[in-house]
Amino acid sequence: MPLYLRQSRADHSLFHSLRLSKTRRINIDKREKKFYSTNLMITSRDRDDILISTVIRLIKRRATSNLQNVVSKSHAADIAHWFPYLRPNEKSILFGLLIEQGQMGEVMSELNSEDRNLIVHEFDAAILAEVFHTMPADDLGDILADLPEEKSRQLLKLIKGKASEHVEQLLQFEERTAGYIMTPNFLALTEETTAAAATARIRELVDIEMVFYVYVVDRENQLKGVISLRQLVATKPDTPLRDLMTTRVFSVHPNTPQEEVAHVVARYNLLAVPVIDDTVKLIGIVTIDDVIDVIREENTEDMLKMAGTGDVNIASKSIFKNTRARLPWLLASFVGGLVAVYVIGVFEVQLDRLAALAAFIPIVIGMGGNIGTQSSTIVVRGLATGEIDPKGAWKVLWREVATGVALGCVYGILLGAFAKLRFSKVEIDGLEFAWRFPVVVAIAICVNMLIAAAIGALIPMFFKRLQVDPAIATGPFVTTSIDVFGILTYFTVARFLLF
Amino acid sequence: MPLYLRQSRADHSLFHSLRLSKTRRINIDKREKKFYSTNLMITSRDRDDILISTVIRLIKRRATSNLQNVVSKSHAADIAHWFPYLRPNEKSILFGLLIEQGQMGEVMSELNSEDRNLIVHEFDAAILAEVFHTMPADDLGDILADLPEEKSRQLLKLIKGKASEHVEQLLQFEERTAGYIMTPNFLALTEETTAAAATARIRELVDIEMVFYVYVVDRENQLKGVISLRQLVATKPDTPLRDLMTTRVFSVHPNTPQEEVAHVVARYNLLAVPVIDDTVKLIGIVTIDDVIDVIREENTEDMLKMAGTGDVNIASKSIFKNTRARLPWLLASFVGGLVAVYVIGVFEVQLDRLAALAAFIPIVIGMGGNIGTQSSTIVVRGLATGEIDPKGAWKVLWREVATGVALGCVYGILLGAFAKLRFSKVEIDGLEFAWRFPVVVAIAICVNMLIAAAIGALIPMFFKRLQVDPAIATGPFVTTSIDVFGILTYFTVARFLLF
């Protein structure tokens, strides 16, 4: 939603929230002091806790007027933040109140998808249309996209007017693209407009997003240039925009993936990037506040992919959906596990003759798994932040292998020593071995950690080359393949040295 | 560095980069077309590739003048982005060129720490001082903080003047705090100043960061309020700032952790947040472009912590530092592995009598490890994004356990079936068992996945309660404890049902 609007509300809300109630205020001050002196991570989160507990208490007490008071004085982003802490029935009460007070639209923009859907299903279309009317197109489109086809169409009918046109425009584009996250509200003027006229125009505007840039377009609405509000302020009133504007502008296409949009905005430190269609027509802008959300979202997604749970807001999913989302990812390690069963089966003879071998299976594969995860995470993240050159595969591989060897030797020696203490002598078919078994586990760990580091580094590099998101590939695949290799190395070394 | 400056340069650079050379340009256009039509993830990264290969070729060819041409026409952020792709000697050549052309300062601000240090060690203090003079205080402080004490002091002497004062001020504060990442360049005016006067002042300014807010202070430089540039533009010239300003402003303390600063800026959609010391004096502002870097950094850190590699820019570390950083984290899984050895030792008898048991150790602990990682990642990320309420431990635990049971049953049945096929009969002390063994592995997997999901969810919640970053706790700790529990369950079930 419009940045400056949010800001003004923000200041407004803080202004009041500091006046909320004397006791609570003193509390905050005390904690702040503590914070300042000790530099612990509290303050705003802390303030949240205080507010949340109050709100819950007021709802329980049905103290509507006090509740109205707190709500009307709180920032939409804060109110939205209370919901995950509330019970369903408490949520409904708060929803009702927000709708009465006409704050629902603003809060809606800040809510997570779970709570949004809750609202949409609790209130009937007429009321929702009212709420949606007060919402910016990009946030609204986001909500409607989650709804079943006909429900969202029904709502769009009720909204009508420019708003619904805008939303329909956004909904043409795929999710997670510039066209989908852009806002169609921006200030575009012609080249002839003078600085003074532009300034005058800005005065009139109410709900335009990001008035930090003025975009210059021709009659066909094709983007000609951009002027920062600062440039506008800093020039003679009668200068036409033509003479002020920067003629070449960073821009994105409606189909540009949101990750790429974030990349452009972040790298060049823009506050907004214009979205231009194939005919160079300016159809919207993506603002930096939405870019921050994108960065958050993409990071969450990477983490969850690496953990093998394919979904962004899985934390708020039902048990069934949760299970369904995670099931396939576990299949990788299941299949890997079955392979391991066969591999170990091959060495059944050795196991029968020396059961002690089995005791070291977990540590051998465990150490491999962990160093492999380290390597893959470093590479995945390095590729994402650009610290690692996707073409520098050999350089990375070499560093990881070297690290693997170093760590492998350290832990190999430690494990060997332990094995020697634990099994001072192992007996195989009547023959006694004092040293061979420790040597076996030592070598096994060392070789396995080397291989694990290499695999962990190579798999993401490999997927990157295939234009597949490295994060997907990394989690279960790496650990599983490492398990199998680990067992193979372990028993091969054992058979070679012991039998 | 100043946002608007960067922007103007940005536009400038793109303007030229599009003119770089006809052939390359056509290339780009072709790819863009492809991109537009197919919506693959290319464009700007793609443009990078083209530029990088050109630059490398020019350096190899010692084609200095062409190189100068390309460099002078490229955006600092882009130039900085080339370095990870260059060989050390190629880097030095480019450094030299940038210094000649006086672009080094801008590029320096965008470089990663590895390359920054490379420069600092290659060029002598005098030259560096020249470069540093052109850099914004916050970026400069960041560089000097990485240097050995006396080296940075020596450089500060050479820089002199306001710049070095600013840097010294920043360096008083701990890394990763508001005071450390803030810029001391901002526009602060008195309450009496009129809108017109303020506008006039903005005209004069050259290198002030974020001229999107004007801060209002009293004679003691205490923050009284803030005015957005838009508000300023939108009012009558003779209005004093006193009547325009919002009197309550979101602000942070110099000791506020950077993560918390990012949290405030992101939640309330600010473009900059003022930093206020204990005496309410305005000492700096943190701008949104730096906040984006913080968010990136914090996310990287979380991922690496979860993988068990404690360092942010480990990807660019030497093999030795790499090893040293990762060694301690692996200790957790090493110790866990030793415990596993003991646990399995306890069941040596059973293993001797039925070697097949060993074959299923990897899959039992593997499945547990993976579901545990899923749970812990979901919880860690949920806590970070606020989707999970740290107090809602039971709710989360219940959902994870339920999911664990569901997934456990699915894979338990699958594994049981597999075991039945693989070992149609198992023989223990002459007795034959047709069904018991498959049942054992089925139950073992199911119970283990349940426990793993619970542990994976609980450990981060637990650390969060202790005000310890959940991410630290999650990686190796979870997997290891799960390994041990897994083996314990597996063999207990086995002994109970088989022997």
Side-chain angles (χ1 to χ4, degrees):
Chain A
M1 66 167 297
L3 266 178
Y4 66 88
L5 257 188
R6 282 197 187 144
Q7 277 152 245
S8 55
R9 265 203 69 76
D11 309 336
H12 171 76
S13 76
L14 187 71
F15 168 56
H16 291 290
S17 73
L18 285 176
R19 278 174 26 193
L20 265 174
S21 104
K22 217 172 197 71
T23 57
R24 203 169 318 120
R25 184 187 182 169
I26 289 158
N27 269 332
I28 296 171
D29 297 348
K30 252 208 240 86
R31 292 154 180 274
E32 304 261 291
K33 281 271 166 304
K34 172 160 160 267
F35 168 70
Y36 288 159
S37 48
T38 63
N39 182 16
L40 277 167
M41 157 75 155
I42 19 176
T43 58
S44 84
R45 292 187 199 283
D46 208 38
R47 208 176 280 119
D48 286 339
D49 295 350
I50 300 163
L51 259 170
I52 288 162
S53 48
T54 320
V55 168
I56 293 174
R57 203 171 58 251
L58 292 175
I59 293 176
K60 283 217 182 70
R61 285 220 246 86
R62 291 276 185 285
T64 319
S65 63
N66 304 24
L67 194 58
Q68 280 172 331
N69 197 19
V70 176
V71 167
S72 65
K73 289 166 179 171
S74 299
H75 186 277
D78 292 324
I79 298 174
H81 181 74
W82 301 340
F83 279 94
Y85 299 77
L86 300 179
R87 293 207 189 70
N89 65 315
E90 295 171 338
K91 288 180 182 180
S92 325
I93 295 173
L94 196 49
F95 286 151
L97 197 86
L98 287 165
I99 290 171
E100 273 176 36
Q101 313 213 142
Q103 283 175 273
M104 196 63 236
E106 267 179 320
V107 175
M108 198 78 165
S109 304
E110 306 281 345
L111 281 179
N112 66 41
S113 50
E114 188 190 22
D115 293 321
R116 281 177 172 180
N117 298 333
L118 199 76
I119 298 181
V120 173
H121 294 110
E122 264 200 22
F123 297 92
D124 61 77
I127 297 174
L128 290 175
E130 283 295 311
V131 173
F132 290 163
H133 239 306
T134 66
M135 287 180 65
D138 51 345
D139 299 337
L140 185 48
D142 203 22
I143 294 173
L144 294 178
D146 291 355
L147 296 178
E149 194 61 23
E150 35 62 42
K151 176 131 193 171
S152 72
R153 210 179 274 105
Q154 173 204 7
L155 283 166
L156 268 176
K157 274 208 204 66
L158 286 162
I159 297 165
K160 327 193 201 58
K162 208 148 186 308
S164 68
E165 276 169 42
H166 277 160
V167 175
E168 271 167 1
Q169 184 192 0
L170 299 183
L171 289 177
Q172 299 161 12
F173 301 106
E174 276 177 54
E175 281 194 50
R176 331 183 109 252
T177 63
Y180 186 83
I181 61 171
M182 74 185 180
T183 167
N185 304 324
F186 53 84
L187 177 54
L189 302 169
T190 60
E191 298 178 87
E192 296 70 33
T193 321
T194 62
T199 319
R201 189 82 187 74
I202 291 172
R203 273 196 208 94
E204 300 158 22
L205 299 171
V206 188
D207 66 341
I208 292 295
E209 190 136 358
M210 292 289 290
V211 279
F212 304 102
Y213 295 121
V214 175
Y215 297 95
V216 182
V217 294
D218 62 14
R219 263 152 215 71
E220 287 69 46
N221 191 31
Q222 295 192 320
L223 184 63
K224 289 297 173 191
V226 67
I227 299 158
S228 80
L229 191 51
R230 180 175 185 287
Q231 288 171 283
L232 203 61
V233 170
T235 56
K236 282 188 237 65
D238 56 354
T239 339
L241 299 186
R242 187 190 300 98
D243 306 349
L244 296 172
M245 67 185 185
T246 319
T247 50
R248 302 287 172 158
V249 192
F250 285 98
S251 67
V252 293
H253 185 271
N255 296 343
T256 309
Q258 64 176 12
E259 191 179 5
E260 175 67 7
V261 177
H263 172 77
V264 171
V265 171
R267 184 192 280 196
Y268 303 111
N269 300 286
L270 309 171
L271 293 174
V273 61
V275 183
I276 294 181
D277 66 12
D278 298 330
T279 63
V280 200
K281 279 195 172 58
L282 176 59
I283 58 175
I285 63 172
V286 178
T287 55
I288 194 163
D289 60 322
D290 296 327
V291 162
I292 284 183
D293 299 341
V294 168
I295 292 173
R296 281 255 173 76
E297 196 181 320
E298 294 289 341
N299 281 309
T300 304
E301 201 189 42
D302 279 2
M303 280 194 180
L304 293 178
K305 274 183 190 162
M306 289 184 69
T309 69
D311 206 314
V312 175
N313 41 27
I314 189 161
S316 58
K317 284 254 189 305
S318 73
I319 291 163
F320 174 69
K321 282 183 181 163
N322 216 302
T323 309
R324 202 179 46 190
R326 289 157 70 168
L327 192 71
W329 297 87
L330 291 167
L331 196 61
S333 61
F334 184 74
V335 173
L338 297 188
V339 176
V341 173
Y342 273 106
V343 173
I344 296 179
V346 174
F347 298 95
E348 211 166 345
V349 192
Q350 284 75 17
L351 267 171
D352 277 332
R353 288 155 71 190
L354 178 57
L357 279 176
F360 287 80
I361 292 175
I363 193 167
V364 170
I365 60 182
M367 294 301 283
N370 276 302
I371 194 174
T373 310
Q374 289 182 333
S375 306
S376 58
T377 309
I378 291 170
V379 172
V380 168
R381 196 57 195 167
L383 288 170
T385 58
E387 244 184 318
I388 290 179
D389 165 10
K391 284 177 215 57
W394 293 117
K395 189 177 150 203
V396 176
L397 180 61
W398 154 243
R399 209 197 54 234
E400 285 306 318
V401 168
T403 312
V405 173
L407 290 167
C409 292
V410 174
Y411 284 109
I413 291 163
L414 287 176
L415 190 63
F418 169 82
K420 176 64 185 161
L421 294 173
R422 177 86 173 72
F423 306 89
S424 53
K425 285 186 178 51
V426 298
E427 197 185 303
I428 301 172
D429 321 333
L431 299 168
E432 279 201 343
F433 297 104
W435 276 106
R436 286 207 201 163
F437 185 64
V439 171
V440 167
V441 291
I443 294 175
I445 276 273
C446 186
V447 176
N448 185 30
M449 286 178 82
L450 181 166
I451 295 173
I455 295 176
L458 278 183
I459 293 186
M461 300 290 279
F462 175 70
F463 274 81
K464 179 77 176 181
R465 283 289 187 86
L466 300 182
Q467 298 252 9
V468 178
D469 179 346
I472 294 184
T474 307
F477 294 81
V478 172
T479 46
T480 307
S481 43
I482 285 171
D483 283 359
V484 175
F485 275 103
I487 293 158
L488 210 51
T489 7
Y490 176 42
F491 281 102
T492 315
V493 174
R495 178 155 65 184
F496 186 74
L497 288 183
L498 284 174
F499 306 100
Chain B
M1 65 168 297
L3 267 176
Y4 65 88
L5 257 186
R6 282 196 186 144
Q7 276 151 247
S8 54
R9 264 202 70 77
D11 310 336
H12 171 75
S13 76
L14 187 70
F15 167 58
H16 291 291
S17 74
L18 285 177
R19 278 176 24 193
L20 267 175
S21 102
K22 216 173 200 70
T23 58
R24 205 171 315 116
R25 183 184 182 172
I26 287 157
N27 271 330
I28 296 170
D29 297 348
K30 252 207 240 84
R31 292 155 182 271
E32 303 259 292
K33 280 271 166 304
K34 174 161 159 264
F35 167 70
Y36 289 158
S37 49
T38 64
N39 183 14
L40 276 168
M41 157 76 158
I42 21 176
T43 59
S44 86
R45 294 190 196 283
D46 208 37
R47 206 176 282 120
D48 285 340
D49 294 350
I50 301 164
L51 259 171
I52 289 162
S53 49
T54 320
V55 168
I56 293 175
R57 203 172 56 251
L58 291 176
I59 293 176
K60 284 218 180 72
R61 281 218 249 90
R62 291 274 184 283
T64 319
S65 63
N66 304 23
L67 194 57
Q68 280 172 332
N69 197 21
V70 177
V71 167
S72 66
K73 289 168 180 171
S74 300
H75 186 277
D78 291 324
I79 298 174
H81 180 74
W82 301 339
F83 280 94
Y85 299 76
L86 299 179
R87 293 210 189 68
N89 64 316
E90 295 171 337
K91 288 180 181 181
S92 325
I93 295 173
L94 195 50
F95 286 149
L97 198 87
L98 287 165
I99 290 171
E100 274 176 37
Q101 315 215 136
Q103 282 175 274
M104 196 63 235
E106 267 180 320
V107 174
M108 198 79 168
S109 302
E110 306 281 345
L111 281 179
N112 67 40
S113 50
E114 186 189 22
D115 293 321
R116 282 177 171 181
N117 298 335
L118 198 76
I119 297 181
V120 173
H121 294 110
E122 266 200 19
F123 296 93
D124 62 77
I127 297 173
L128 290 175
E130 283 296 309
V131 172
F132 290 164
H133 238 305
T134 66
M135 287 179 66
D138 51 344
D139 298 338
L140 185 49
D142 202 24
I143 295 174
L144 294 179
D146 291 355
L147 296 178
E149 194 61 24
E150 35 60 46
K151 175 129 195 174
S152 71
R153 208 179 275 105
Q154 174 205 6
L155 284 167
L156 268 176
K157 274 207 204 68
L158 284 164
I159 297 165
K160 317 193 210 58
K162 208 148 188 303
S164 69
E165 275 170 42
H166 278 160
V167 175
E168 270 167 1
Q169 182 191 3
L170 299 182
L171 290 178
Q172 298 161 15
F173 301 104
E174 278 176 50
E175 281 193 51
R176 330 182 112 252
T177 63
Y180 186 83
I181 61 171
M182 74 185 180
T183 167
N185 305 325
F186 51 85
L187 176 55
L189 302 168
T190 62
E191 298 177 88
E192 296 69 36
T193 323
T194 62
T199 318
R201 188 86 185 71
I202 291 173
R203 273 195 209 97
E204 301 157 22
L205 298 172
V206 188
D207 67 343
I208 291 295
E209 191 136 355
M210 291 289 288
V211 278
F212 303 102
Y213 296 122
V214 176
Y215 296 95
V216 183
V217 294
D218 62 15
R219 260 152 219 72
E220 286 68 45
N221 192 30
Q222 294 190 321
L223 184 62
K224 288 299 173 189
V226 67
I227 300 160
S228 79
L229 191 52
R230 180 176 185 285
Q231 287 171 282
L232 204 60
V233 170
T235 56
K236 282 187 238 64
D238 55 354
T239 337
L241 299 186
R242 187 189 301 97
D243 306 348
L244 295 172
M245 67 185 183
T246 318
T247 52
R248 303 286 174 159
V249 193
F250 286 97
S251 68
V252 293
H253 185 273
N255 296 343
T256 308
Q258 64 177 13
E259 191 179 5
E260 175 68 6
V261 178
H263 172 77
V264 171
V265 171
R267 185 193 279 195
Y268 303 111
N269 300 286
L270 309 171
L271 292 174
V273 63
V275 183
I276 294 179
D277 66 13
D278 297 331
T279 63
V280 201
K281 280 196 172 58
L282 176 60
I283 59 175
I285 62 172
V286 179
T287 55
I288 195 163
D289 60 322
D290 296 326
V291 163
I292 285 184
D293 300 340
V294 168
I295 292 174
R296 280 255 173 77
E297 197 180 319
E298 294 290 340
N299 281 309
T300 305
E301 202 188 41
D302 279 2
M303 280 194 181
L304 294 178
K305 274 183 188 161
M306 290 185 68
T309 69
D311 205 313
V312 175
N313 41 26
I314 187 161
S316 58
K317 284 252 188 302
S318 72
I319 290 163
F320 174 71
K321 282 183 180 161
N322 217 303
T323 309
R324 203 178 48 192
R326 289 157 70 167
L327 191 73
W329 298 87
L330 290 166
L331 196 62
S333 60
F334 184 73
V335 174
L338 297 188
V339 176
V341 173
Y342 272 106
V343 173
I344 295 179
V346 173
F347 297 94
E348 210 164 349
V349 193
Q350 284 76 14
L351 268 172
D352 277 332
R353 288 156 69 190
L354 178 56
L357 277 176
F360 286 79
I361 292 176
I363 194 165
V364 169
I365 59 181
M367 292 303 283
N370 277 300
I371 194 173
T373 310
Q374 288 182 333
S375 305
S376 57
T377 309
I378 291 170
V379 172
V380 167
R381 196 59 193 166
L383 288 169
T385 58
E387 245 185 317
I388 289 179
D389 165 11
K391 284 175 214 60
W394 293 117
K395 187 178 151 202
V396 176
L397 180 60
W398 154 243
R399 209 198 53 233
E400 285 306 318
V401 168
T403 311
V405 173
L407 290 167
C409 292
V410 173
Y411 283 109
I413 291 163
L414 286 176
L415 190 62
F418 170 81
K420 177 64 185 161
L421 294 174
R422 179 86 173 71
F423 307 89
S424 53
K425 288 187 179 46
V426 298
E427 197 185 303
I428 301 172
D429 319 335
L431 299 169
E432 279 202 345
F433 297 102
W435 276 106
R436 285 206 200 165
F437 185 65
V439 171
V440 166
V441 292
I443 293 175
I445 276 273
C446 185
V447 176
N448 186 31
M449 286 178 81
L450 181 167
I451 296 173
I455 296 175
L458 279 182
I459 293 185
M461 300 290 280
F462 175 70
F463 274 81
K464 179 78 178 180
R465 283 289 187 88
L466 300 184
Q467 298 253 8
V468 178
D469 180 344
I472 293 184
T474 306
F477 294 82
V478 172
T479 44
T480 307
S481 43
I482 286 171
D483 284 359
V484 175
F485 275 102
I487 292 156
L488 210 50
T489 356
Y490 176 43
F491 280 102
T492 315
V493 174
R495 178 155 66 184
F496 185 74
L497 288 181
L498 284 174
F499 306 101

